[in-house]
Amino acid sequence: MSTLDLIGIGKSYGATEVLRSIDISLASGEFLVLLGASGCGKSTLLNVIAGLLSPTTGEIRIDGKRVNEVHPKDRDVAMVFQSYALYPNLSVRRNIGFGLEMRGVPRARRDEAVARVARMLQIDGLLDRKPAELSGGQRQRVAIGRALVREPKIFLFDEPLSNLDAKLRMEMRAEIKHLHRLLATTVVYVTHDQIEAMTLATRIAVMNNGAIEQIGSPEDIYRRPATVFVASFVGAPPMNLIEATWDGRGLHLDGSGQTLALPAPDAAPRPVTLGVRPEDLRLADPADELAIAATVDFAELTGPDRIVFSRLAGVPILASLPPHSHVTADEQVRLTFSKRDMHLFDRGSGKRIDIPLRPVA
Amino acid sequence: MNGTLTPLRAWLLMLPLLVIMLSVIGWPFVDTLRLSFTDARLVGTGGEYVGLENYRRLFASDAFWRAFRITTVFAVVSVLLEMVLGVLVALLLFQDFRGRNILRALLILPWALPTVVNALLWRLIYNPEYGALNALLLQSGLMEEYRSWLGDPGSALAALIVADAWKNFPLVALISLAALHAVPQAIRAAAIVDGANAFARFRYVILPYLAGPLMVAMVLRTIEAFKVFDIIWVMTRGGPANSTRTLSILVYQEAFSFQRAGSGASLALIITLAVTLLAVAYVAMIRRAAGGKF
């Protein structure tokens, strides 16, 4: 159980900045998910923590001690890779015990530790097989076992579930969560899958373009996205984003002539982006004032929801409605939402604007 | 026209190649086989059928067994040397450093040189009066006086092996270099995090990916080394005192110097058989290593 501090971490290759001044402070036992699209720098950051890459600027501290100059093997971190990275000609037993073997742990203690971890991961029947004789899920269990057996200070996961099929991914996700609860080791977990991020993390750091856009609890990230990027990246189906102009009279939706009765504190018009999650939209009563009128394209029944695809002045609006909702194509619908569930972002900076929650004028 | 061929059409398309192959390989092979059962001379009479007499005489002769031993030593040592040198150089050239690409390009040079040129170069290096090797060893104090490397039966074979290994290690190095690029980055990283030292990383991470390609290189090189002729012919002609007379040199002497075509033919066939057996054994090994997927 260890703390991890990243202080002003930057990494450049020549003129290309891959990481820009990353600051993260993890308490012992936290589960941090680095979430972002491919190429955002999240794997690079993980490699910096592991010591496989050295940062251009900044400091890495484990348990308060600077480890920038410490070799990966001496940082006491263990890493699980997307491609499993098992040693192809070693048995499962030796794969799991490899780190201990390299550290000169005697055979008997090694075997005991391997057996314990294998039982925990339910791969004790596979110990004499070679990686090539295992399924993808089994291989990933071995890879996790190899990390677990060393009882490291910090676990690093690099998209560990991305090569698995959907069902297996869900099972392994639950298992990783269970293991974390059991061991309470500090974890840094890289993924591009927001469901993994939401379900596993105690905190999520959303990364974009080498920088952290927002770091916070899953709830925070989802309910109070700090930037338009976070708002659009997290959530499926994604948040509806509508360009608008905000002034003293209300929120004017660009191109549609519609105005929402939500006057700005300042009279001067300000270009903003209005964000509403599809599940926060519902069909409006005539009495609802905070409503958008849109034209239905089509609707899809997903089972629990009916996803309505509609348009507002050419901008697609998705609404996740109850399955029994009745809408037909080309119909004009009024979609309403609570002021609590709406998000406003400054269109210039992309940053969140806090909306004064006073009654609609 | 669709993508499949009828068997007849396939055979027709291959016919020109088959005809050429049969005329340049098939026919000489059959004729060599026939010759090996006769006492034919290179010029003059067609020769009488003597049955297995040529083979019996060969297997009873010291010259044959000595040449067989020399050939085996030459092949085994030079191939091993090439393997070790090739892998080491590949590991070196896999590192990231300035000028790496130039060195990689230069690496191919010895291999690209015609064997005769390489042989002549090494003859210069080994020259007893003005050769670079003597100068180097004498000036660095490792040796008291000049030696005739190729003129001494004790050192001629070793000198040849070095020259041959020098020419052929780049092939092994190139194959290894390509294989090194196939080692997944994640496994390298995993081994570093697991605390494996350089030797353990080579053994458990790199070698599994190197073994297959190296095996193929070994097959090719062993077969070639077993048939070696040109480099020896240019450098020592099998001497001194027949200390570098390999089987191929023996065939040449038998068939052309002594003009005993029948006996030469039987020796040539024995080499062919030996090389074929080697190839079959190797292929079986590769197959087993690849788990029958080859």
Side-chain angles (χ1 to χ4, degrees):
Chain A
M1 289 220 266
S2 293
T3 61
L4 171 71
D5 296 288
L6 304 176
I7 303 154
I9 298 290
K11 175 78 184 168
S12 337
Y13 294 100
T16 322
E17 266 193 303
V18 191
L19 294 175
R20 321 158 192 257
S21 63
I22 305 277
D23 289 295
I24 297 174
S25 205
L26 283 188
S28 188
E30 270 205 86
F31 196 123
L32 174 77
V33 171
L34 299 173
L35 177 66
S38 45
C40 72
K42 55 194 192 300
S43 288
T44 308
L45 184 56
L46 200 70
N47 285 328
V48 165
I49 299 171
L52 295 166
L53 291 174
S54 34
T56 315
T57 60
E59 193 169 284
I60 308 142
R61 291 188 193 155
I62 295 175
D63 282 336
K65 275 193 226 95
R66 177 184 163 99
V67 294
N68 285 43
E69 292 76 23
V70 177
H71 189 274
K73 72 173 196 295
D74 300 321
R75 289 193 186 187
D76 206 2
V77 299
M79 200 158 168
V80 178
F81 298 85
Q82 175 179 354
S83 56
Y84 322 125
L86 301 179
Y87 309 113
N89 61 339
L90 299 187
S91 65
V92 166
R93 186 190 313 278
R94 284 194 69 195
N95 258 287
I96 295 178
F98 193 75
L100 299 178
E101 189 181 332
M102 291 299 117
R103 283 170 171 73
V105 174
R107 179 77 190 266
R109 258 183 54 207
R110 215 161 69 208
D111 283 351
E112 194 185 318
V114 169
R116 184 172 48 79
V117 166
R119 261 196 314 278
M120 197 193 285
L121 291 165
Q122 294 154 31
I123 45 175
D124 34 356
L126 309 173
L127 287 177
D128 294 316
R129 295 209 197 159
K130 292 277 173 68
E133 298 162 328
L134 304 179
S135 69
Q138 290 168 333
R139 282 181 213 184
Q140 196 51 283
R141 277 167 200 270
V142 175
I144 291 173
R146 189 170 62 180
L148 283 182
V149 79
R150 282 187 27 217
E151 299 180 7
K153 286 181 176 168
I154 299 173
F155 280 119
L156 305 173
F157 288 90
D158 192 359
E159 308 230 12
L161 307 183
S162 297
N163 282 6
L164 303 178
D165 64 48
K167 183 168 171 284
L168 212 52
R169 207 179 306 158
M170 212 155 90
E171 280 173 29
M172 287 303 289
R173 206 170 70 206
E175 196 136 349
I176 290 175
K177 201 176 170 79
H178 171 72
L179 285 171
H180 178 247
R181 203 174 301 152
L182 201 73
L183 304 168
T185 309
T186 311
V187 175
V188 181
Y189 185 110
V190 162
T191 184
H192 64 266
D193 183 321
Q194 42 171 305
I195 306 291
E196 271 173 40
M198 295 296 289
T199 51
L200 288 172
T202 56
R203 264 201 297 169
I204 297 176
V206 181
M207 289 186 66
N208 180 29
N209 214 358
I212 292 180
E213 287 269 333
Q214 183 177 3
I215 180 162
S217 69
E219 170 99 23
D220 260 357
I221 299 282
Y222 194 77
R223 296 313 318 176
R224 290 180 51 80
T227 64
V228 142
F229 176 83
V230 175
S232 63
F233 193 77
V234 179
M239 185 186 280
N240 296 299
L241 295 168
I242 305 157
E243 298 197 338
T245 309
W246 203 24
D247 63 20
R249 288 179 298 125
L251 192 65
H252 311 284
L253 307 185
D254 290 2
S256 69
Q258 296 182 41
T259 297
L260 302 182
L262 188 85
D266 307 318
R270 179 178 184 185
V272 295
T273 304
L274 165 68
V276 189
R277 295 212 178 270
E279 69 269 23
D280 291 334
L281 285 170
R282 57 197 160 76
L283 291 173
D285 296 328
D288 286 320
E289 284 193 45
L290 205 60
I292 304 169
T295 312
V296 175
D297 275 343
F298 58 92
E300 280 174 351
L301 184 67
T302 59
D305 305 299
R306 188 179 292 275
I307 310 286
V308 176
F309 293 77
S310 60
R311 264 167 206 290
L312 165 74
V315 181
I317 306 284
L318 266 67
S320 178
L321 303 180
H324 52 79
S325 311
H326 187 76
V327 289
T328 49
D330 297 326
E331 180 193 355
Q332 184 88 357
V333 286
R334 279 182 83 233
L335 298 166
T336 185
F337 49 90
S338 142
K339 207 155 74 169
R340 264 198 345 264
D341 297 329
M342 64 179 276
H343 312 266
L344 275 187
F345 304 96
D346 184 274
R347 224 189 294 167
S349 66
K351 293 221 159 61
R352 178 181 191 85
I353 303 168
D354 282 311
I355 309 159
L357 279 176
R358 57 192 161 88
V360 178
Chain B
M1 192 180 142
N2 64 24
T4 55
L5 285 174
T6 61
L8 178 67
R9 201 184 162 83
W11 278 107
L12 277 175
L13 286 171
M14 287 192 295
L15 192 62
L17 183 67
L18 279 175
V19 169
I20 294 170
M21 296 280 280
L22 282 175
S23 56
V24 300
I25 297 175
W27 162 243
F29 182 81
V30 172
D31 198 45
T32 306
L33 193 64
R34 182 190 63 78
L35 270 178
S36 76
F37 297 117
T38 69
D39 63 355
R41 309 281 302 172
L42 192 61
V43 285
T45 63
E48 298 278 310
Y49 176 79
V50 294
L52 292 171
E53 177 61 16
N54 284 331
Y55 292 94
R56 197 195 58 73
R57 264 220 331 272
L58 267 179
F59 284 122
S61 82
D62 289 340
F64 168 77
W65 289 111
R66 185 159 178 229
F68 187 82
R69 263 199 316 278
I70 291 171
T71 309
T72 308
V73 170
F74 179 88
V76 170
V77 179
S78 67
V79 169
L80 277 181
L81 213 59
E82 286 159 25
M83 292 289 146
V84 173
L85 198 61
V87 170
L88 285 178
V89 168
L91 286 172
L92 206 65
L93 289 180
F94 188 72
Q95 306 302 315
D96 206 3
F97 59 89
R98 192 183 280 270
R100 177 177 82 164
N101 289 340
I102 295 172
L103 283 182
R104 282 186 177 185
L106 285 178
L107 171 69
I108 195 92
L109 270 182
W111 192 58
L113 284 179
T115 308
V116 176
V117 176
N118 182 61
L120 289 171
L121 282 176
W122 279 94
R123 256 176 65 173
L124 279 177
I125 292 171
Y126 290 138
N127 188 289
E129 271 111 53
Y130 48 82
L133 184 64
N134 273 334
L136 183 78
L137 292 177
L138 198 76
Q139 282 165 26
S140 58
L142 290 169
M143 208 170 64
E144 305 280 298
E145 55 182 359
Y146 279 11
R147 287 186 60 175
S148 174
W149 299 99
L150 293 174
D152 179 349
S155 63
L157 185 62
L160 279 178
I161 287 173
V162 169
D164 189 64
W166 167 256
K167 178 176 164 46
N168 289 306
F169 88 88
L171 174 74
V172 180
L174 280 180
I175 290 174
S176 307
L177 206 50
L180 283 176
H181 280 283
V183 179
Q185 196 52 46
I187 300 191
R188 290 173 185 279
I192 293 174
V193 175
D194 267 341
N197 60 25
F199 178 73
R201 290 208 298 274
F202 178 76
R203 167 131 188 243
Y204 299 112
V205 176
I206 293 173
L207 203 55
Y209 287 87
L210 223 51
L214 275 186
M215 190 75 107
V216 173
M218 210 150 103
V219 176
L220 294 175
R221 285 300 312 139
T222 314
I223 290 170
E224 270 185 28
F226 208 82
K227 300 185 300 186
V228 64
F229 178 80
D230 41 9
I231 193 168
I232 294 178
W233 193 248
V234 174
M235 287 179 74
T236 63
R237 304 214 164 210
N242 292 334
S243 65
T244 60
R245 187 167 70 180
T246 59
L247 288 169
S248 293
I249 301 277
L250 193 61
V251 173
Y252 182 87
Q253 289 181 346
E254 201 56 27
F256 297 99
S257 305
F258 306 135
Q259 308 220 347
R260 291 198 283 261
S263 159
S266 59
L267 185 53
L269 283 174
I270 289 170
I271 300 179
T272 309
L273 187 69
V275 169
T276 310
L277 285 177
L278 261 180
V280 169
Y282 268 138
V283 168
M285 269 161 71
I286 294 177
R287 245 180 227 227
R288 221 183 43 201
K293 289 193 285 282
F294 179 73

